[in-house]
């Protein structure tokens, strides 16, 4: 019995250490307004959200709005909504598919995926000139050159 209690205590401590520093994204829904253009976040699969180090929250109906409003290097935690499910993904863990209207055309949408397999599958099944941005820094670079 003593052994079991020690094991449970160790597991709880390990879980607490593993979760330390992890912060859940702010709660937003399709009725939340975009901080840039005021549009509702009706299509959450395209949405993004950010929280500043002082607790200020901004929601965005599109990743492009977030990239416009949150300059690189600012102290914001950023999440993108998973295109394939109900989850929010930390910016450091996202793989993006950039959808363009045509070859060389403007960006139509930026979609976030929690892994490369999901991004690759979407890339293969959607027409048009798409490109994969494997991380947040690459996405910022592509959008900055638009």
């Amino acid at each position: 019995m003593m052994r079991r209690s020690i094991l449970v205590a160790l597991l709880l401590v390990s879980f607490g250490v593993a979760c330390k520093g992890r912060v859940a994204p702010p709660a937003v829904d399709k009725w939340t307004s975009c901080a840039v253009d005021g549009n509702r976040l009706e299509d959450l699969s395209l949405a993004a959200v950010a929280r500043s180090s002082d607790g200020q929250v901004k929601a965005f109906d599109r990743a492009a709005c977030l990239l416009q409003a949150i300059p690189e290097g600012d102290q914001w935690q950023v999440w993108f909504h998973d295109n394939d499910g109900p989850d929010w993904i930390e910016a450091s863990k996202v793989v993006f598919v950039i959808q363009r209207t045509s070859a060389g055309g403007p960006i139509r949408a930026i979609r976030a995926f929690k892994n490369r397999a999901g991004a690759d599958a979407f890339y293969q099944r959607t027409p048009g000139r798409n490109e994969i941005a494997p991380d947040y820094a690459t996405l910022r670079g592509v959008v900055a050159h638009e």
Side-chain angles (χ1 to χ4, degrees):
M1 186 68 164
M2 175 81 152
R3 216 179 226 171
R4 186 177 292 161
S5 296
I6 292 171
L7 180 61
V8 169
L10 287 173
L11 286 172
L12 289 172
V13 168
S14 297
F15 181 74
V17 169
C19 293
K20 185 177 181 182
R22 290 181 122 182
V23 178
V28 297
D29 60 29
K30 68 180 187 173
W31 302 108
T32 305
S33 296
C34 177
V36 172
D37 57 27
N39 292 333
R40 301 276 184 217
L41 278 59
E42 291 181 17
D43 185 353
L44 284 178
S45 71
L46 298 173
V49 66
R51 181 186 294 123
S52 69
S53 57
D54 66 359
Q56 181 183 8
V57 172
K58 291 185 179 184
F60 306 93
D61 66 332
R62 299 173 293 125
C65 287
L66 177 134
L67 296 171
Q68 175 185 343
I70 307 295
E72 188 171 10
D74 276 6
Q75 298 302 312
W76 289 80
Q77 290 178 296
V78 175
W79 295 267
F80 295 89
H81 198 279
D82 183 14
N83 189 77
D84 287 340
D87 300 325
W88 290 92
I89 314 161
E90 293 176 47
S92 64
K93 298 176 182 175
V94 177
V95 178
F96 299 93
V97 174
I98 301 168
Q99 293 181 278
R100 296 187 180 275
T101 56
S102 60
I107 293 175
R108 186 181 81 192
I110 299 169
R111 298 189 179 270
F113 297 86
K114 59 183 159 191
N115 57 48
R116 182 65 187 241
D120 286 341
F122 183 86
Y123 178 86
Q124 294 299 323
R125 71 177 182 263
T126 55
R129 183 183 181 279
N130 298 334
E131 59 189 280
I132 293 179
D135 55 47
Y136 186 48
T138 301
L139 175 69
R140 279 198 165 276
V142 169
V143 173
H145 288 97
E146 289 294 309

